[in-house]
Amino acid sequence: MSIRPIFLWKALVLGVATLATGCMSPRFEPVDHALLETIRFQSETVDIAADPLALSPTDSIRLDESISPGSAASIIKEVLITGNQTLPEHRILRQIRTRPGRYFDPDVLQQDVDQLWQMKSIRRVNGPYVDQQSDGVIITIDIVERLYIDEVRFVGNRGITDRQLKQETGLRGGQPLDLQAVRMAKHRIEDFYREKGYPKTQVTIMEGDQIEDRKVIFLIHEDNLQRVWNVSFEGNTIASDARLRNFIKMKPGILWLVGGKVNRREIKQDILRLTSYYRSLGFFNAKIGRELIENDSGSWLTIRYVINEGPRYRVRSVAFVGNEKYSTEQLMSIVKLKPGDGEAPEFNSAKMNSDVTSLIDLYGSQGYVAADVQAEPRFLETPGVLDLVYKIQEGKQYRVGNINVLIDGDYGVTQWQVVMNRIGLRPGDLLDTRKLRNSESRLLRAQLFADGSPSAPGNPPRIVVRPPDLDDFEPGRLIR
């Protein structure tokens, strides 16, 4: 059982931007509509074995201009599908709108061919070929089907089973052969080996990268399983080795036996994690390198991080932009990261983010629930010094409107008043974001509703603030 009280506030003007997207077929170039029939469709006399996409006006055919569009000669007499071996003709015809008995429309026929190109079972579409006769038009579409995979095999794998590799590639027998999918599967296998501790494994496609292949065979040059033996740091002064190890994932496993498998990609991510940690402490010029040392057999890897911390930046001044409700002095009394007694404090992103939260709560306590505060460090020409600017968008002040209580599940036991007793706001009060958080906490502590735990599965109670025009429920209405 979950609950979702909704506080309604003054309506906002909402806009919806719609992005229109389109796609262009890779087989047809946009052409002048007047020349449509002269370049789009091939004559029945064109050799199918020739390149069907190399069209020219001399190889093309168009309907006789002397024939009226409403005459019998402009009606489709027959639609022929050729070249299909395993794909049923009725399945192909279901994809197109060009049908016998309908008037011939070149635009519709082009769209039909585009649709056939998108079918995974079709590798190529030749034509369409148009044969104009006195009693109608005969259209022939020749297709080349994709060959199907008979078997997927792996050669040379010892540390990872065939079943695991098949799951990773997504390839199996009976699928149409897709050369691009086979090439992507090769890279997925190599990445999978790196994640499992085989960083130098290489994969070669023995079969499956040619159109005429019926089998997909991967030859795996499997590397030895490699684990992390030791991780060390050099050049760190602000944090101990033990502290820095908390920010990396590639480190020795338990007793060097459980975990610790080398993943070169994770080592690169560990460098980014360490760099981010130093940036958060004000070391914006910190540079971190790494040295990888393997033992003779290649089964163990020692990682040594070389750190150049650089200067630690200090906050020279703090400024506010966009504040009207509160003065700069009032806001300055809220923040903690600021100069004092002539001393510039060391920059710390955790303290800066805490100050942002405090400023948002200050505005939210007075009904400015849409207030936005962004902190922007501005670097100066002097190394190691920065100014901190808080950009504020106050928004409008709102009061509580209708309070709707929505209860999912068996709501016969929990009444509307039980919920209202634990909510510290009433219609007409200024919206206070702090009271909203406290109300949610009281609802959760009441142990009347789901909290996401195994004993009480479901979404925990939450309070959502919405404009009134987005809600159609009546106050106090209980809904399953």
Side-chain angles (χ1 to χ4, degrees):
M1 179 184 298
S2 64
I3 181 171
R4 196 155 51 93
I6 300 181
F7 288 83
L8 301 180
W9 42 310
K10 295 176 66 176
L12 299 176
V13 178
L14 304 179
V16 179
T18 303
L19 177 63
T21 60
C23 60
M24 182 181 293
S25 167
R27 297 168 297 284
F28 294 101
E29 295 293 334
V31 297
D32 188 341
H33 188 77
L35 299 177
L36 188 62
E37 291 84 356
T38 65
I39 67 174
R40 186 175 297 169
F41 307 115
Q42 292 182 322
S43 169
E44 193 68 61
T45 61
V46 177
D47 184 7
I48 295 181
D51 185 2
L53 300 182
L55 300 181
S56 65
T58 58
D59 294 330
S60 306
I61 187 171
R62 61 179 177 180
L63 293 181
D64 192 338
E65 294 179 356
S66 63
I67 298 177
S68 172
S71 64
S74 65
I75 296 178
I76 300 174
K77 179 181 178 181
E78 190 175 5
V79 178
L80 301 177
I81 305 295
T82 61
N84 57 312
Q85 299 178 1
T86 61
L87 195 61
E89 182 176 334
H90 66 84
R91 182 181 171 188
I92 300 173
L93 292 174
R94 280 204 305 264
Q95 304 298 319
I96 64 177
R97 294 180 294 166
T98 300
R99 304 287 175 83
R102 298 180 178 179
Y103 288 108
F104 176 74
D105 188 332
D107 290 320
V108 173
L109 183 57
Q110 180 187 1
Q111 296 171 11
D112 291 341
V113 173
D114 289 346
Q115 185 68 25
L116 294 179
W117 272 96
Q118 296 177 15
M119 295 181 64
K120 294 183 178 180
S121 301
I122 295 179
R123 179 169 59 89
R124 190 183 183 96
V125 179
N126 297 326
Y129 305 95
V130 179
D131 181 15
Q132 178 189 344
Q133 300 182 358
S134 60
D135 58 345
V137 180
I138 298 177
I139 299 174
T140 302
I141 302 176
D142 183 74
I143 66 170
V144 179
E145 295 181 356
R146 291 187 186 275
L147 296 178
Y148 284 79
I149 300 174
D150 290 337
E151 181 185 11
V152 179
R153 290 172 52 195
F154 305 92
V155 179
N157 55 309
R158 301 181 306 276
I160 300 179
T161 65
D162 289 1
R163 181 178 179 181
Q164 290 176 297
L165 294 176
K166 286 182 179 180
Q167 290 178 346
E168 192 65 26
T169 62
L171 300 177
R172 63 180 184 276
Q175 285 182 329
L177 179 63
D178 187 333
L179 303 185
Q180 182 63 22
V182 174
R183 297 186 187 103
M184 292 177 62
K186 167 187 177 298
H187 296 297
R188 282 200 294 268
I189 294 173
E190 292 176 340
D191 290 342
F192 188 63
Y193 263 95
R194 293 187 183 97
E195 293 175 1
K196 294 299 182 181
Y198 301 85
K200 299 180 181 179
T201 296
Q202 296 182 345
V203 179
T204 303
I205 302 175
M206 295 182 63
E207 289 189 41
D209 58 348
Q210 301 297 326
I211 295 177
E212 63 274 8
D213 291 342
R214 301 300 295 269
K215 295 181 180 180
V216 177
I217 302 177
F218 296 100
L219 176 61
I220 301 175
H221 308 276
E222 193 173 274
D223 186 23
N224 293 327
L225 176 63
Q226 192 176 76
R227 297 179 186 271
V228 178
W229 175 256
N230 185 36
V231 175
S232 62
F233 301 89
E234 179 180 318
N236 52 306
T237 60
I238 193 64
S240 64
D241 290 7
R243 175 63 175 167
L244 295 179
R245 285 193 184 94
N246 292 329
F247 297 97
I248 63 175
K249 291 187 177 181
M250 282 293 95
K251 45 193 171 185
I254 301 175
L255 299 177
W256 290 272
L257 296 175
V258 180
K261 297 179 181 179
V262 173
N263 185 335
R264 299 297 175 104
R265 183 179 299 173
E266 281 295 341
I267 294 176
K268 294 181 180 179
Q269 293 298 318
D270 284 343
I271 293 179
L272 296 179
R273 295 183 186 102
L274 291 172
T275 303
S276 177
Y277 170 68
Y278 269 94
R279 296 282 193 276
S280 69
L281 296 179
F283 294 91
F284 292 100
N285 297 330
K287 296 180 180 179
I288 300 176
R290 57 105 176 98
E291 182 182 4
L292 305 180
I293 305 172
E294 298 180 351
N295 65 344
D296 294 338
S297 64
S299 57
W300 294 100
L301 180 69
T302 297
I303 307 174
R304 187 168 71 96
Y305 292 99
V306 181
I307 303 173
N308 181 5
E309 295 178 338
R312 186 172 189 178
Y313 278 72
R314 293 179 175 272
V315 179
R316 186 187 70 170
S317 65
V318 175
F320 304 91
V321 177
N323 54 304
E324 296 180 359
K325 171 66 178 178
Y326 295 100
S327 65
T328 298
E329 290 74 17
Q330 289 175 306
L331 298 179
M332 192 69 74
S333 65
I334 298 296
V335 299
K336 304 299 182 184
L337 184 60
K338 59 186 176 182
D341 299 330
E343 182 180 358
E346 295 172 336
F347 177 85
N348 187 300
S349 63
K351 294 181 179 179
M352 180 187 70
N353 294 333
S354 177
D355 287 342
V356 169
T357 301
S358 298
L359 292 172
I360 292 177
D361 282 347
L362 175 65
Y363 278 96
S365 66
Q366 298 299 315
Y368 293 90
V369 295
D372 179 62
V373 179
Q374 298 292 331
E376 180 181 303
R378 295 184 178 179
F379 299 95
L380 308 173
E381 295 182 359
T382 305
V385 180
L386 61 82
D387 291 338
L388 197 54
V389 178
Y390 292 95
K391 293 184 176 180
I392 302 174
Q393 293 182 354
E394 296 179 338
K396 296 182 179 180
Q397 189 179 49
Y398 295 97
R399 294 182 178 272
V400 179
N402 294 332
I403 300 178
N404 296 329
V405 180
L406 281 70
I407 301 179
D408 298 330
D410 185 5
Y411 57 84
V413 177
T414 305
Q415 298 298 324
W416 178 78
Q417 192 60 42
V418 175
V419 177
M420 294 298 296
N421 289 340
R422 289 168 172 79
I423 296 177
L425 290 170
R426 291 294 181 267
D429 294 347
L430 280 175
L431 271 175
D432 189 332
T433 54
R434 297 174 301 182
K435 290 184 178 180
L436 293 180
R437 289 198 298 267
N438 292 336
S439 298
E440 279 188 338
S441 299
R442 284 195 295 270
L443 289 171
L444 186 60
R445 292 195 302 267
Q447 299 183 351
L448 298 172
F449 312 103
D451 57 10
S453 64
S455 59
N459 296 323
R462 65 189 183 98
I463 299 176
V464 180
V465 179
R466 293 178 179 172
D469 57 342
L470 296 183
D471 191 277
D472 296 326
F473 301 109
E474 299 175 1
R477 181 181 177 187
L478 299 177
I479 300 179
R480 284 187 181 272

